[in-house]
Each structure stands twice: as C-alpha cells, then as structure tokens.
C-alpha cells in the first residue's frame, strides 16, 4: 500500500456522481491544510469547489481537477461494485479510477513529497478542484476562474490531471484543446398536404443544398498543433409524424470543433453567409461552450517532458485531440495550461480502471515537475 494508492482508494469509495462531491474536497483540504495551504471553499449553486494556495510569490503553479464522476451505468455489468475499489490482475477498478481521482491523489502526495524536500519553494503552489466538470460545467471551474480574475489572481502554470495517456503512462501531453461552438438552426417552410407540393414549401428540401455546402466547406487548414476545424450535424428533426404532411419547419443541431486557426466570429459569419446565399428563412441560436486554447513548447511543456523522461524513461508527444476540458476556462487566467494523467482507455466505461503500477509514478511526475519549475 503506497501513499498515493491509499489516498486514491479513499477517494474512490466516495460516491461523487456529478455534481456531488461527497466529501472528497474536504479530504483533500485536510491534507493541504497540514502543509500550510490557505483553504478557500467556493460553493456556487449546488456545486462545491476548492481553491487552496500556499505562498504569495510568483511563479504560481496550479494543479486542477475534478472530484465528480459520471454515472456508473448498469451495475450488473461491472465486475465489482464501482464504488468499492477492487484490484484484480494489477488493475484498480472503480468509477473515477482513471478520470480522475488517481490524479487528485497524486497531486497531494506529489506536493507532500516536494515540500518535505524543498520546504521553501521559489514560488507558490495552488489547487483548483471542482465537482462540476462531468456535468454542465456552469458552476464549477468557470466560476472559480471568474472569482480569481476579479481579484487579479493570475496563474503562471497549470497542470490539469485529465487522463491523457494512450498506451502507457506519460506518452501523451495535451497542450491544448479545440473549442466547441454549437448551433440550433430552424429552417422555415410552409406546411401542406404532400399530394399538393405546389401549395407548400418543404423546408427539408430548401435546407438540403445549404447543408451539403456546410458539410463540404473547408473552414480552415488547422496549424502545427491542431487538425482542421470540423462541422457536424448532431440532430435533425422535421415532420408531424404523418406520412402525408409536408412539414412547416426543420430543426438542425450542429457543432463546430474548432482550432486556434479560426475565430468564433469568423465561423458564425461563414455559416450565416451560406444560409443567406441559399435564400433560407431561418432562425439560428448559437451556444459557445469553450474557446480553443494552446500552450506552445515552453517552460511548462519542457518541465513536464523532462519529468516524464526521468520517471518513465520515455519521450512524450504533444496532442490537442479529444473533447473539451476545464482547461478551456483556466486558460483565461493562465498562459500555460497542460493536461497529463493516467491511461484513458477505460474512462466513462463499465469497469473503468487504472494500472496500480502507474499510480506512484504519476505522483513522481508531478513532483519532478514541481522541482523543475519551483527550485
């Protein structure tokens, strides 16, 4: 039983299905308070958040993560109770094992080990923990960031403990993420009897050429770190349910996953230009859930890469693939945000698990990064 494994097990027994925290943050705060951290709980709505900081001088290195987990799915399909951690064949099974309670435990033990060796670091250490990452993410990290921004408390470096590794621990760092921009499009026509199409206007037929153009548009070419921006329809609905009625409108939900090669304004303008060019009568409501962020090669990427090399002996690769994370909010107050955590092959799945052999090395990676940046 290693220190990081012991704390991981304690966190995994807590049924913190989003947006519940179930005492996880209190457990972390207790350990941090013993190290001299100033503990600042921040509750917004029904969501618990934790901001903890040690030191007042720069640079400020923040560890960020979430205590909430996704629902378990059918319990009968799990090999064991998802909230009773079980070790089988070298793997630790539980909901949240990979995403991301192992990382939270590794944060704590890394900081404890670092401060035992370097009690007066050249800078400050902080933790930003939420219980609203797996949910709608409106009362969690985004609100903490707004609070910190309001009092001009800026971060220099941030390490997010999301599970980024693919085949082995540390093989991939996420140094950015694509943005997510959604649209709810309603194209209007004229409802009528399907036998008298000249007396109606079928909005599906009217929208089809515009949809084809949207689907075939090259929005940008991407860049060194990002693939080209993509546009995808997620849902389309038209009709009354009857087979002999031309619908009066069609509703189309779509989403952009976009890089730093495009802006929100440019994407919106291009979509409206296409719809207008096809002469459609439409309404379009936009929703931005996150802008893209990017941390080029620099102090944080280099510190983490050296830490991974020293712990695992392997070189790491930079990636911006995957969905959104809370890094999109933190980037608003921090110029360097990088994600690094366990292997992500089982996240959100039945029998989510993490290799026991990876748990202590993950803590060591975080500790070596502290050494590289704050000594």
């Amino acid at each position: 039983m290693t220190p990081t494994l012991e704390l991981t097990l304690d966190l995994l027994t807590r049924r913190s299905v989003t947006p519940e925290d179930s005492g996880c943050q209190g457990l972390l705060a207790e350990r941090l308070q013993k190290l001299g951290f100033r503990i600042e709980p921040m509750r917004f709505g029904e969501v618990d958040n934790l901001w903890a900081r040690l030191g007042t001088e720069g640079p400020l290195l923040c560890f960020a993560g979430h205590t909430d987990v996704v629902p378990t799915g059918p319990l009968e399909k799990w090999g064991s109770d998802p909230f009773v951690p079980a070790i089988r064949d070298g793997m630790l099974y539980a909901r949240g094992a990979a995403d991301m309670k192992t990382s939270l435990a590794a944060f704590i033990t890394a900081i404890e080990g670092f401060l035992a060796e370097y009690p007066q670091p050249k800078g400050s250490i902080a933790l930003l923990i939420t219980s609203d990452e797996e949910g709608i993410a409106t009362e969690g990290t985004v609100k903490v960031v707004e609070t910190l921004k309001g009092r001009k408390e800026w971060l220099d470096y941030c390490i997010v403990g999301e599970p980024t590794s693919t085949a082995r621990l540390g093989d991939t760092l996420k140094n950015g993420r694509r943005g997510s921009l959604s649209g709810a499009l309603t194209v209007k026509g004229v409802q009528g009897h399907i036998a008298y199409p000249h007396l109606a206007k079928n909005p599906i037929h009217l929208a089809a050429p515009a949809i084809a153009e949207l689907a075939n548009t090259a929005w940008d070419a991407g860049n060194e770190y990002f693939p080209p921006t993509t546009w995808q329809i997620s849902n389309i609905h038209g009709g009354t349910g009857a087979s002999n009625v031309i619908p009066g409108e069609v509703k189309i939900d779509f989403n952009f996953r976009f890089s730093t090669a495009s802006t929100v304004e440019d994407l919106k303008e291009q979509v409206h230009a296409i719809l207008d060019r096809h002469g459609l009568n439409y309404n379009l409501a936009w929703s931005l859930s996150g802008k893209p962020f990017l941390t080029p090669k620099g102090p944080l990427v280099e510190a983490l890469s050296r830490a991974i090399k020293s712990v695992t002996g392997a070189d790491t690769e930079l990636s911006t693939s995957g969905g959104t994370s809370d890094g999109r909010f933190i980037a608003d107050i921090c110029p360097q945000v990088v994600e690094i955590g366990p292997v992500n092959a089982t996240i959100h799945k039945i029998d989510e698990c993490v290799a026991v052999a990876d748990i202590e090395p993950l803590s060591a990676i975080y500790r070596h990064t502290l050494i590289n940046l704050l000594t």
Side-chain angles (χ1 to χ4, degrees):
M1 181 70 71
T2 65
T4 310
L5 174 58
E6 185 175 10
L7 180 54
T8 300
L9 293 174
D10 200 346
L11 291 168
L12 290 173
T13 61
R14 299 166 190 261
R15 299 173 182 265
S16 55
V17 176
T18 190
E20 295 298 323
D21 170 71
S22 300
C24 292
Q25 291 175 28
L27 176 63
L28 301 178
E30 183 180 353
R31 299 278 285 259
L32 293 169
Q33 197 163 29
K34 292 178 180 178
L35 298 173
F37 277 75
R38 177 173 58 86
I39 305 301
E40 188 176 356
M42 295 187 186
R43 185 172 175 85
F44 299 103
E46 299 300 314
V47 175
D48 289 307
N49 303 285
L50 173 66
W51 172 250
R53 178 167 178 167
L54 177 70
T56 59
E57 302 298 320
L60 172 56
L61 169 59
C62 176
F63 292 95
H66 60 90
T67 55
D68 59 322
V69 300
V70 296
T72 62
L75 293 175
E76 67 275 10
K77 292 187 178 181
W78 282 73
S80 54
D81 188 321
F83 292 105
V84 179
I87 297 175
R88 300 190 296 272
D89 299 322
M91 304 299 294
L92 172 60
Y93 291 86
R95 175 58 85 218
D99 190 11
M100 55 172 287
K101 290 183 176 180
T102 296
S103 294
L104 297 178
F107 289 166
I108 300 300
T109 57
I111 294 169
E112 290 172 338
F114 171 72
L115 292 175
E117 189 175 359
Y118 301 96
Q120 294 183 322
K122 295 179 181 179
S124 301
I125 307 171
L127 284 93
L128 193 170
I129 310 297
T130 185
S131 63
D132 185 36
E133 197 273 347
E134 298 290 9
I136 58 176
T138 58
E139 306 290 341
T141 299
V142 63
K143 287 293 184 69
V144 178
V145 166
E146 288 174 2
T147 301
L148 297 175
K149 188 176 183 180
R151 63 196 195 194
K152 301 187 185 306
E153 194 165 358
W154 313 104
L155 315 181
D156 294 286
Y157 312 112
C158 183
I159 298 172
V160 185
E162 289 292 342
T164 62
S165 303
T166 54
R168 56 175 295 186
L169 178 66
D171 61 3
T172 306
L173 294 179
K174 299 287 188 181
N175 67 318
R177 295 275 189 167
R178 293 176 296 174
S180 178
L181 175 65
S182 296
L185 172 66
T186 301
V187 177
K188 300 177 182 180
V190 176
Q191 183 174 316
H193 197 292
I194 208 161
Y196 302 92
H198 59 289
L199 300 178
K201 290 184 179 180
N202 192 318
I204 299 174
H205 294 184
L206 295 172
I211 292 174
E213 184 173 346
L214 289 164
N216 290 308
T217 295
W219 305 96
D220 58 49
N223 55 35
E224 177 185 358
Y225 295 101
F226 287 98
T229 292
T230 61
W231 180 87
Q232 291 290 321
I233 290 176
S234 57
N235 188 44
I236 185 167
H237 176 75
T240 64
S243 62
N244 61 350
V245 178
I246 293 172
E249 63 180 28
V250 60
K251 295 183 177 181
I252 303 165
D253 296 328
F254 62 82
N255 177 265
F256 281 105
R257 290 302 165 103
F258 65 105
S259 73
T260 52
S262 287
T263 67
V264 173
E265 292 73 21
D266 285 344
L267 294 174
K268 288 182 177 181
E269 287 178 7
Q270 289 183 75
V271 170
H272 282 285
I274 291 171
L275 298 175
D276 293 339
R277 186 161 57 249
H278 287 274
L280 299 179
N281 180 11
Y282 68 91
N283 291 325
L284 177 52
W286 293 98
S287 175
L288 176 66
S289 59
K291 293 181 180 180
F293 70 92
L294 176 66
T295 300
K297 293 177 181 178
L300 182 55
V301 169
E302 292 170 3
L304 277 165
S305 298
R306 285 194 286 125
I308 292 168
K309 183 73 171 181
S310 65
V311 174
T312 70
D315 294 319
T316 191
E317 294 184 0
L318 301 181
S319 171
T320 60
S321 64
T324 58
S325 75
D326 276 359
R328 68 191 189 274
F329 305 127
I330 298 168
D332 197 36
I333 60 170
C334 183
Q336 298 185 56
V337 180
V338 176
E339 302 172 22
I340 170 63
V343 173
N344 57 23
T346 63
I347 60 174
H348 293 203
K349 293 183 178 181
I350 301 294
D351 283 342
E352 178 182 350
C353 60
V354 65
V356 175
D358 287 346
I359 293 176
E360 219 50 56
L362 180 60
S363 177
I365 289 171
Y366 295 149
R367 180 170 55 84
H368 279 269
T369 304
L370 282 163
I371 293 170
N372 291 340
L373 290 172
L374 300 185
T375 62

